[in-house]
Structures are given as C-alpha cells and as structure tokens.
Amino acid sequence: EFLRIPSCLYGFMNHTTTTEMTASGRTAFCFHGELDASEDDIICHCGCKMHVNNHPGITLRHLPFGGYLSQVQFNRNQYVCPKCGKTRMQFISFKAPAHRITEELYQYTRDLLATGNYTNKEVAELTGLGKNTVKDIDKQRLQELYTIDGTKLIKPERKAKFLGIDEFKLHNGYKYATHIIDMETGHVLWIANGKKKQVVYDFIEHVGLEWMDSVEAIACDMNSDFQEAFEDKCPHIQPVFDYFHIVKNFNDKVVSEVRKDEQRRLLAEGDDEAARSLKKTRYILMSSRKTLKRKDQDAADERVISKGSPIFGTEDYIRKGGHEERYDELLSQNKLLFTLDLIKESLTLAYSRNDEARMSEDIISIMDTCKSTKNEHLMWFRRLLDNHFEGIIAHATYDISAGKIEGINNKIKTLRRQAYGYRDDEYFFLKLFDISRKTYVRNPLSHKICD
C-alpha cells in the first residue's frame, strides 16, 4: 500500500511502514527497518575485534512527503572491546551531526533557509522540525558563510570605493547597533553593538589600513562620532552628507516647528481663521513641489489609492487634488513659509551641482537667508550647514546617497517584525549579513518546464 522510492539512506533496509499521528495533529510515515553493520565499526583503535554489547533504538526525522512527515526507526549496535573496554556506537552514514535527523532533511532545511523566502516558523512547518532546531541549522549555515570557525568575521575580499554607516535600534529601543555597508553592492561588511567611535575603530582594525586605502568617501548622517573616527584613522576618506539627511533635518526641525510657532502666534493675535488654515498642512509643507504636482495629476487621472469592498461596505478611495493650489495659498499668506519654500528649492538646486565651488555658493546663500530671518529654527539650520559644510559640498564630487543604507534599515525592521524580535544578537547580525546579499527579483520566472 506504500510507494517504494529511493531513500538515499545507505545501509538502511526498510521492512515495515506504518502511519502515526504526531502531537501537532499531522500524519507521519514511520519507516521501520535494520541498519547494516560495517566492518570498520567492529575494529577497535587498539586493533582488537569488538563485540556487540547492546541494541538501542533510534528514530531520525526524514524528508516530508507533501503534507506528511516521515521518520526512520531502527536499532543500532553498541560495541565493546574485550581488550581495552572501550565502547562505540554503530556509525550511521545518513545521520546529520548534532541532530536526530537525516542528512537529506538537514540539507533540505538549509536549502529552504538559503532562499531567504521563508521565515524560520514557515521552514519549521514545512519540515516538521522544531523552531530551535531550525534556528541552530540556520545559524550554523550563516557561520560557515560569514565567519572563520564561528569566532571571527571573514574579511571582505572586494575592496570598497564608497562606504555607508548608520545606526539602528535593538530590542526595546534603548540599545543601538551600527552597520557599515559597501555603497556599490549594498552588502553589509560590519555590524557591532553601540554607536560610538569604537565601532569604527574595530572595523578598521578588522579590514586593515591597506584595505581602507581604496575607500574614497563615506556616506553618513550628522553623527560626529563616526566622522571624527574616520578622520582620526583614515584622514584621506571624505565624509559625505547626502540630500536625504539634510532635508529630513530641515523638515523635522525647521518646517514642522515653524508651522507650530506660526499657529501659536496667530492664535495669540486673535486670527483664528489663519491659525485653522495651518492645521493638517504639515505633510504639504514638507513635500516638494514635484511631489504635489504628481499627486494632483493622480487626482486628475482619478487614480484609486485603495480599492473598496462590497463585503465590508467600503468604496474606492480616489486621490484628492488641490495640493499645489493649497500650498501656494499658504505661501502667499505667510512670509516665513515662503522663505522655507525658497530654501527647499535652493537645497534641491545645490544637490544637483557637480562642482564643489558652485555648490558651496548655493549653501552659503542658504545660510545667509537663514541668518536674515533671525528665526531660532532657521538659525539652528544655519549652524548645522556651517558645522558640516565640507561634508555637504563633497556631494558635488562624490554623488552618493544614503538610499542603500535606508534600504538596509527597512530590511532590518522587516526581519525583526517577521520573527517578533531576536534575543540572539549574533544570529540576528548574521541574518542581516545574509539578507543584504540577496538579490530582489520583482517578477520571478515560472517553474514551468519549457518545451
């Protein structure tokens, strides 16, 4: 009543097959049989022939068949040497080391994990293994790929021209870790706990100063510790502050705060109508004119943002228009908001330059505009530009951005969310090394066999 298929369990002879129900409610095929004895097993290291002392049973999990699990059950011999008294268990060629599973199931589990398409929980469900077993197999796989004997990270073979560095939150957010990536490939090269200078020093010691000689620039945020550490050990490397971080600081620390200050001022002056007009305008004021035009075009094309459902009584949500008109109205009513718009446009122009001299002129002009307003938030932004002036204008020479860094940060959040958090930092960091090297295929080809 059962199919006979090659099992690749060399030395195992199946004589009975039964079906059992697992504790989780799944059906499992149990292959009962015998294991052939090898001549090598019965010879002791002292040269004496060993005797059979016992026949303990063993059960190994095997490859699943569709939705069914399987396992092999047999007795193996325990040998004892009559001369020296040493004991030895019969060798099982198809048993995976350190696990009660077959080598075939072990390799199948590794292959599923290596694709990067399945979480550990999904792999455990497919293979019938426990989640801790799956984690141990995955961790061993990652250690073989990225470490030397599981104790030290492998030095990157490819020399990087541009690096990127950023920190991310660990666990409940009170602890941080820092990752350094190759900006051309997006591969994570180094991860360590903390966000201080020592992280950079440890990375440079790991790769060596000769390897660092090929690095020309590094993209980073406004963290002065990273900048000072690289300047201390490798003064030839130019820190670059990209457009994303500058605009993010401008929107969060200037535009948002100015809008709230203007609301409070208008309310204090008794102009309630003007104060109400600034409500729910934070996103519009932070957006570029290009973004607002695109949204208005989507509205004109009646683009559906969210599809409705007759089952749940919802209707299609179509993009609303009037974003650019509302933006121009706000600028015409408030001189300070109009100044913020000029600065945003000037920043966009400055970061389009490929000449440091012209970009420096644009940045200096922005600093002068901020100073002329005498607004505390714009004065803060002026100091930010002044303190990071060289790294900002370096973008004209080294056109690199934090796009790949932010992409890795999104992968970190997704990975942690899928697993509901990681308690093992070493395993978590190795997983980040692995996912940074996975290529994303938007529309994968079908598995249909071609004619």
Side-chain angles (χ1 to χ4, degrees):
E1 298 180 2
F2 297 95
L3 293 174
R4 289 184 175 274
I5 59 176
S7 63
C8 299
L9 306 178
Y10 301 108
F12 173 74
M13 294 182 295
N14 175 222
H15 55 67
T16 309
T17 302
T18 61
T19 55
E20 306 289 343
M21 188 66 67
T22 66
S24 61
R26 295 179 66 178
T27 302
F29 292 115
C30 298
F31 303 104
H32 306 273
E34 298 177 354
L35 186 65
D36 290 340
S38 172
E39 290 294 331
D40 297 334
D41 286 337
I42 62 176
I43 303 300
C44 183
H45 69 279
C46 67
C48 182
K49 186 176 181 179
M50 306 182 79
H51 297 167
V52 177
N53 183 53
N54 200 356
H55 304 279
I58 185 172
T59 301
L60 301 179
R61 301 296 295 273
H62 193 38
L63 289 169
F65 296 91
Y68 299 96
L69 306 179
S70 70
Q71 60 186 26
V72 292
Q73 296 179 346
F74 54 89
N75 294 329
R76 60 174 173 169
N77 297 328
Q78 182 193 55
Y79 300 103
V80 61
C81 179
K83 182 177 179 180
C84 63
K86 295 289 185 180
T87 60
R88 177 194 298 165
M89 296 301 298
Q90 184 179 1
F91 176 70
I92 307 172
S93 62
F94 51 83
K95 178 184 177 296
H99 298 286
R100 286 294 183 97
I101 63 177
T102 63
E103 187 67 35
E104 285 70 28
L105 179 57
Y106 175 79
Q107 192 58 51
Y108 174 60
T109 305
R110 283 175 62 109
D111 291 343
L112 287 176
L113 292 164
T115 63
N117 299 327
Y118 304 95
T119 64
N120 287 12
K121 185 177 181 180
E122 290 169 340
V123 173
E125 183 67 22
L126 288 170
T127 59
L129 299 176
K131 61 179 183 179
N132 290 331
T133 304
V134 172
K135 179 209 166 183
D136 291 341
I137 293 174
D138 195 26
K139 189 172 182 179
Q140 183 181 7
R141 177 185 70 87
L142 296 171
Q143 287 175 339
E144 291 173 3
L145 286 173
Y146 305 112
T147 69
I148 302 173
D149 299 328
T151 58
K152 184 180 180 181
L153 285 174
I154 295 175
K155 179 180 174 180
E157 295 181 1
R158 180 186 182 278
K159 291 187 176 181
K161 186 177 180 181
F162 304 116
L163 296 178
I165 185 170
D166 199 9
E167 72 273 1
F168 60 93
K169 290 182 179 180
L170 277 177
H171 308 304
N172 57 2
Y174 294 104
K175 295 182 179 180
Y176 286 82
T178 301
H179 59 86
I180 299 175
I181 71 168
D182 184 337
M183 292 294 289
E184 293 178 304
T185 63
H187 295 175
V188 173
L189 305 178
W190 183 257
I191 303 180
N193 285 297
K195 54 175 183 176
K196 299 297 181 182
K197 293 181 181 180
Q198 191 60 43
V199 175
V200 177
Y201 294 152
D202 291 342
F203 169 70
I204 295 174
E205 183 180 356
H206 170 65
V207 298
L209 291 175
E210 183 182 352
W211 189 93
M212 293 296 296
D213 287 341
S214 64
V215 181
E216 296 182 11
I218 178 164
C220 55
D221 58 14
M222 306 301 171
N223 189 327
S224 60
D225 285 341
F226 296 154
Q227 180 183 355
E228 291 173 4
F230 277 106
E231 289 175 349
D232 180 27
K233 293 290 184 180
C234 304
H236 70 280
I237 297 178
Q238 175 62 57
V240 179
F241 306 115
D242 71 327
Y243 179 74
F244 170 80
H245 285 104
I246 296 294
V247 172
K248 187 176 186 301
N249 275 286
F250 182 70
N251 283 333
D252 292 344
K253 303 293 180 63
V254 181
V255 177
S256 181
E257 296 301 320
V258 167
R259 184 185 71 90
K260 289 188 285 187
D261 287 349
E262 289 298 290
Q263 273 188 302
R264 287 190 287 266
R265 179 183 66 80
L266 292 170
L267 286 173
E269 294 176 355
D271 194 348
D272 296 344
E273 184 177 350
R276 280 196 300 271
S277 67
L278 287 176
K279 283 189 175 182
K280 299 181 180 180
T281 59
R282 183 174 182 268
Y283 182 79
I284 292 179
L285 292 173
M286 286 184 174
S287 300
S288 65
R289 190 171 290 275
K290 181 180 178 181
T291 301
L292 298 177
K293 287 182 178 179
R294 177 175 54 81
K295 290 182 178 294
D296 286 342
Q297 185 59 47
D298 289 342
D301 297 338
E302 297 185 347
R303 180 186 173 191
V304 177
I305 304 300
S306 175
K307 292 193 67 175
S309 169
I311 300 174
F312 299 103
T314 57
E315 298 180 353
D316 290 350
Y317 178 76
I318 300 175
R319 171 78 74 189
K320 296 180 180 178
H323 292 86
E324 189 177 12
E325 182 181 353
R326 178 81 184 280
Y327 185 63
D328 289 333
E329 183 181 350
L330 290 171
L331 299 187
S332 63
Q333 294 175 354
N334 193 295
K335 182 179 178 181
L336 193 53
L337 295 181
F338 180 76
T339 303
L340 297 182
D341 179 68
L342 291 177
I343 293 174
K344 277 199 302 183
E345 295 297 329
S346 299
L347 280 173
T348 303
L349 177 62
Y351 269 91
S352 67
R353 305 290 193 190
N354 55 13
D355 179 69
E356 287 194 13
R358 297 192 66 183
M359 187 173 181
S360 63
E361 291 176 0
D362 293 336
I363 298 300
I364 291 172
S365 176
I366 293 172
M367 293 166 59
D368 292 340
T369 302
C370 293
K371 184 178 180 180
S372 65
T373 63
K374 298 182 180 179
N375 180 272
E376 59 175 329
H377 305 298
L378 285 168
M379 292 296 289
W380 172 87
F381 186 66
R382 179 190 178 280
R383 290 193 298 272
L384 180 73
L385 297 179
D386 190 25
N387 294 335
H388 301 87
F389 187 80
E390 290 186 8
I392 292 172
I393 65 172
H395 186 273
T397 303
Y398 305 101
D399 188 11
I400 57 177
S401 71
K404 282 190 171 65
I405 301 176
E406 297 305 321
I408 294 294
N409 288 341
N410 285 334
K411 288 185 176 181
I412 291 171
K413 295 174 184 176
T414 302
L415 180 65
R416 185 164 44 208
R417 185 168 57 248
Q418 286 177 337
Y420 295 93
Y422 285 85
R423 290 181 293 177
D424 187 344
D425 285 348
E426 180 181 311
Y427 178 51
F428 181 45
F429 292 168
L430 288 173
K431 290 284 282 185
L432 297 181
F433 270 82
D434 200 45
I435 64 172
S436 71
R437 286 158 174 79
K438 300 294 183 186
T439 55
Y440 175 70
V441 181
R442 187 174 184 85
N443 295 308
L445 297 175
S446 170
H447 296 296
K448 180 180 178 181
I449 298 176
C450 300
D451 296 331

